[in-house]
Amino acid sequence: MADPDPCALCGRYGDALPMERHHLVPEHRKESPVVTVCSPCHDQLHALFTNEELIEEYHTAERLRAADRMADYLDWIRGTDKTSIEVRTSDRVRRER
C-alpha cells in the first residue's frame, strides 16, 4: 500500500492522521483546486481566515504556509502527533463573518 499524501500545510502524514480536502477558493467549489490537509490544519486555517481572505490572498498552499498567522501553529503542530485539536475562531474572523 502506498504512503498517504502528506498534509499540504504541515507536511505530516500517517494512517492515523485524518486527512481532508481543502478547497483553495471557498464558495467556488466546482472550479476550485483542492489540496489535501490534515484535519487539525484544516480546522486551524478556517479559524484564522475568512472565506474572503482565502479567496483573495490565501488561495494556494504556499501562501497559507507563508502566512504570519499560521507560523506559530505550524511550528507547533509539526512537533506533535496530535490527530485532532480544539480551535477557537479568532475574534477578527468572527466579526468579519
Side-chain angles (χ1 to χ4, degrees), residues 62-78:
E62 293 79 17
R63 287 185 178 196
L64 285 166
R65 281 193 305 268
D68 289 344
R69 283 181 246 169
M70 289 291 285
D72 289 341
Y73 164 78
L74 289 173
D75 286 344
W76 170 76
I77 198 72
R78 286 176 179 137

Side-chain angles (χ1 to χ4, degrees), residues 43-61:
D43 292 344
Q44 184 69 11
L45 73 88
H46 282 291
L48 295 177
F49 301 97
T50 64
N51 281 351
E52 290 77 23
E53 290 172 318
L54 292 170
I55 291 167
E56 293 172 14
E57 296 179 55
Y58 300 102
H59 47 77
T60 68

Side-chain angles (χ1 to χ4, degrees), residues 7-34:
C7 173
L9 299 179
C10 70
R12 300 179 313 141
Y13 61 92
D15 291 334
L17 185 62
M19 303 299 268
E20 302 177 10
R21 293 170 32 134
H22 170 64
H23 289 87
L24 291 166
V25 185
E27 300 176 13
H28 301 279
R29 289 177 170 240
K30 287 184 181 179
E31 307 87 36
S32 176
V34 296

